[in-house]
Amino acid sequence: MTADVYPQPSRPPGPARSPLSRHGRAPLSGRVLAGAAGPLLLGLCAVLVAGERAYRFHEMAGAQWLVSHALGLRTLLLEAPDAPVLYAGDASGLGRGIALTTGCSSALLIAPLALLAGLLLLFGSRRPSRVLLGFVLAAALVVAANLGRLTLIVAMQHRYGEEGFGWTHVLFGSVLMMASGLVALLLFLLLITRTSTRDAEADAP
């Protein structure tokens, strides 16, 4: 009886590895996306800073739409020299207007996010789709929070007059925007730093 020696069977080939190698080189589609979106986000940051007055007018126009449809109030939006002013009231007349100054605009929070996202796309190693998704969600959260704050200020001023305006604008509105800015930043960081199973498999030796 003879004994034949058979070579150890080789392991079957596993699934193809993700294009993102462990050396950090992104796939071609990701590099193209980052190369196109990165400069656009940096440009958006510049536009928000240079054209923040025009942005404030459009932001106040959004608040006017919410006040008219959510609160059912009559509104009038005027483009004053320094800031857009929104007046709201009922059939008896319009109350005191509120002005949207630079310090109360969401542009101050969106511009740094656009700058950070643009730099990450151009010089970072994070997945471009994650960076873009994080920026879009964070920016949308900030815009929604500020529109809600402006609508609430109008509602409280219409209901309680100057005292309602003061409490809502100085206290509650400031806390709301600080909280929304913090949550937006944490959401952005969470999305760009989260490691998925696919990423872990791609980075495995």
Side-chain angles (χ1 to χ4, degrees):
M1 182 177 180
T2 60
D4 294 330
V5 179
Y6 295 93
Q8 182 179 359
S10 60
R11 296 177 58 185
R17 178 166 295 184
S18 169
L20 182 64
S21 70
R22 61 177 176 270
H23 299 290
R25 186 173 179 82
L28 178 60
S29 59
R31 296 198 301 273
V32 171
L33 178 60
L40 289 178
L41 286 176
L42 295 181
L44 175 62
C45 175
V47 168
L48 287 173
V49 173
E52 56 87 22
R53 187 177 183 277
Y55 175 85
R56 281 187 283 128
F57 183 84
H58 291 293
E59 190 173 24
M60 189 64 103
Q64 179 188 25
W65 186 90
L66 283 176
V67 170
S68 300
H69 291 79
L71 304 180
L73 298 177
R74 295 172 53 209
T75 58
L76 175 63
L77 178 59
L78 297 180
E79 189 173 0
D82 297 328
V85 182
L86 176 63
Y87 297 87
D90 50 24
S92 61
L94 299 175
R96 188 182 67 172
I98 64 170
L100 181 57
T101 60
T102 302
C104 295
S105 174
S106 61
L108 291 180
L109 295 176
I110 298 177
L113 286 173
L115 175 62
L116 177 59
L119 293 177
L120 284 174
L121 287 173
L122 292 178
F123 305 108
S125 58
R126 299 295 174 181
R127 297 177 70 89
S129 57
R130 293 251 182 101
V131 177
L132 287 174
L133 177 62
F135 169 75
V136 170
L137 293 180
L141 175 61
V142 170
V143 171
N146 203 37
L147 289 177
R149 180 182 72 92
L150 293 172
T151 304
L152 183 61
I153 289 174
V154 171
M156 293 297 289
Q157 178 177 270
H158 177 70
R159 182 73 179 269
Y160 300 106
E162 186 174 352
E163 184 178 0
F165 170 84
W167 276 97
T168 311
H169 177 263
V170 177
L171 182 60
F172 183 77
S174 299
V175 172
L176 174 63
M177 290 311 298
M178 286 190 293
S180 64
L182 178 60
V183 172
L185 178 60
L186 292 177
L187 176 63
F188 178 74
L189 295 176
L190 176 65
L191 286 173
I192 66 174
T193 58
R194 178 175 175 269
T195 302
S196 66
T197 304
R198 181 181 176 183
D199 294 337
E201 291 176 353
D203 292 339

